[in-house]
Structures are given as C-alpha cells and as structure tokens.
Amino acid sequence: MITMIATVLIITGVFSSLVCFRLARQQDLVQRRLNQVSCVSLAASSQRIKWRWKSNPERRKALALIGFNHDLAETLFVLFRLSIMVVGALLWFALRDLTASVVDIAQCVAISILLGILVDRLLTLWVDRIRCQVAKVVPDALDLMVVCVASGLTLERAFRVVGEEMTDVSSALSRQWCQTATEMAVLDSPIQALTNLDQRLELSDINNMVLTMCQALKFGTPLSQALSLIAADSRHYQLLELEEWAGKIPAKMSFPLVVLIMLPVVVMIVAPVVLSLFDTLERL
C-alpha cells in the first residue's frame, strides 16, 4: 500500500514537473519574442525620432495662438519661410543681374537670411497684436463669466458659453476660452487647464485671473465673487495703463514741437542777419 502511494506521488511529481517546465518554457519564449518586438519598435522609433523635424515649442505656441492648431502647422510655416527666402534670393539675383561670383552669392544668402528674420518678426508682431486684443476684452469676458457662474453654470460650461459669445468681439479670446473648456472636460483637474491658459497667453490679466480662480477652487471661495474681483482689478489696471499713456503724451509732443516749430522760428530770426552779413562781405 505504501509502495503504491509512493509510486503515485512520484508519477504525479514527475508529471507536474513536466507541465511546469513546459509552461515556463512557453512563457520564456513569449517573453523573448516580446523583447525582440520591443527592440525592433524602439529601433524604428529611434530612427523616426532621428529623422523627425525638430520642433520649436515657442513657434508652435505662437502659431496656435494665431489660430493654426494643426499638427503640421509648424512644418508648413517653416516651408513657407524657406520658400520666401529662396524666392527672394532668386529675385534679387535676377533683378540685379548678378553673376556666380562669391560676392554675388553672399548677397543672395544675406537677402534670404534677412527675409527669414523678417518673417519671424512678422509672426512675433502678429502674436503681440493678438495678445493686446485679448487683454483689452478680458474684463468684458470676466463680466460675462460672473453672470454665467451666478446663474448656476459650472466653470467649464461658463468658459464654453463665454467663448461662443465672444466670437464676434475677439476670435482669439474665443478660441482660447473654448480650448480651456475642452481641457477642463478632458483633464482631471480644472487647475491644470487654467495653468495651460496662462502659459499660452502670458498676460498679466490672465495670470491674475488664473491665480485667483485656482485659489477659489482650492479653498472653496465662491467663484462669482472671485470673478467679480478679477474683473474690477482688470478694469483698474487698464485705467492705470491709459493714465500712463496719457502722461507720456507731453514728452512725445516735445520732439515735433522742437523740429516743426522751434527750428523754423530760429531760421526766420537768424536768416536776415546771415543775409545782411553776406551782403556786407560782397561789398567789401
């Protein structure tokens, strides 16, 4: 009886060992194949990253701010700038009747570089103009958000409604508000969406709004009161900017006053004396 039990245990142990060995072998084989696939995918991804166009975060943010949110927006902009540089250099070469000398080629290269710098400068000016436009209408947008929040809408819905209503007033602010509402619906925390809004616009009014709203969300302060305070601060800040601009007007008027008024007066006073001096010298 004991011999039979021992035999059954030995056979069971051998069978279980074979089954475990086969399972372990299959698992090792699967793991080895997965490692091979991952190595190939990493190599391919490294090759793609190696030959991928290097992106400029500041340029991409500027293009997104003016409304070009497509994935290929930066690539298309770079190609457009390159085409402007090449066409400008060729036109300069053709209009000036240049030759293939080193000096003429250097002129064409200098013209192409200047055109590339000009395109980047125009993009920067466009972005600055949009930011100024957004800064002017931020208090109005905040007043609308106060009404929306006081009526019972959520913060996400308030951003969405204000963004849609401000389309005719400022398309740039409308895009940013709608994008913030979408991020609030997707992200886990609305604070991250507000932080992204601040990073995109880089305006003092938006920074104050984001900080106040983040504190209201963290500590449970009523959003309507916080938004009312932000709107009042924004209008007061705009009033201070207007007062500062008005204070600079007398200093700016001094230059045309000196050039256009004082200089002709001095010429009218000194001219007769100089003419009489010339007459006297001729008589001598």
Side-chain angles (χ1 to χ4, degrees), residues 30-244:
V30 172
Q31 186 66 33
R32 187 161 55 250
R33 290 180 178 177
L34 289 175
N35 291 332
Q36 292 177 358
V37 172
S38 62
C39 291
V40 172
S41 62
L42 286 175
S45 63
S46 63
Q47 291 293 330
R48 288 195 298 268
I49 293 173
K50 182 179 180 180
W51 295 104
R52 188 178 178 182
W53 186 273
K54 187 176 181 180
S55 176
N56 188 351
E58 295 296 329
R59 186 190 296 130
R60 176 172 293 182
K61 183 170 66 174
L63 292 173
L65 187 60
I66 63 178
F68 295 99
N69 295 319
H70 197 270
D71 295 336
L72 299 177
E74 186 178 4
T75 303
L76 294 176
F77 174 78
V78 172
L79 292 177
F80 172 75
R81 185 182 64 174
L82 181 62
S83 63
I84 291 293
M85 294 169 63
V86 173
V87 171
L90 292 177
L91 288 176
W92 181 265
F93 185 85
L95 294 176
R96 301 285 294 181
D97 294 332
L98 302 179
T99 59
S101 62
V102 178
V103 178
D104 295 341
I105 294 175
Q107 290 182 13
C108 295
V109 172
I111 291 298
S112 63
I113 293 174
L114 290 176
L115 288 175
I117 296 174
L118 179 62
V119 172
D120 290 336
R121 183 59 180 170
L122 290 176
L123 178 62
T124 304
L125 292 176
W126 194 356
V127 171
D128 293 339
R129 184 177 65 85
I130 289 178
R131 284 175 176 168
C132 292
Q133 179 185 0
V134 171
K136 290 180 181 178
V137 297
V138 164
D140 298 332
L142 291 177
D143 290 337
L144 290 177
M145 291 189 66
V146 171
V147 176
C148 293
V149 173
S151 63
L153 295 180
T154 61
L155 186 60
E156 173 193 346
R157 185 60 182 167
F159 268 97
R160 179 77 62 185
V161 171
V162 173
E164 293 175 355
E165 293 294 332
M166 296 292 290
T167 303
D168 298 332
V169 179
S170 175
S171 59
L173 185 137
S174 176
R175 288 194 303 269
Q176 296 300 323
W177 252 238
C178 292
Q179 183 176 353
T180 304
T182 304
E183 290 180 355
M184 286 183 179
V186 174
L187 298 177
D188 296 333
S189 175
I191 296 177
Q192 183 63 39
L194 294 173
T195 305
N196 295 336
L197 176 64
D198 185 20
Q199 293 177 356
R200 288 194 302 268
L201 291 177
E202 295 180 354
L203 294 173
S204 58
D205 293 339
I206 301 297
N207 188 15
N208 295 331
M209 181 192 75
V210 169
L211 291 177
T212 306
M213 294 180 70
C214 289
Q215 291 179 358
L217 292 174
K218 286 182 180 179
F219 301 107
T221 306
L223 285 176
S224 59
Q225 298 179 3
L227 291 173
S228 300
L229 180 62
I230 298 168
D233 291 340
S234 298
R235 294 190 183 279
H236 181 66
Y237 183 73
Q238 286 187 352
L239 181 61
L240 291 178
E241 286 185 347
L242 290 176
E243 291 178 355
E244 182 181 1

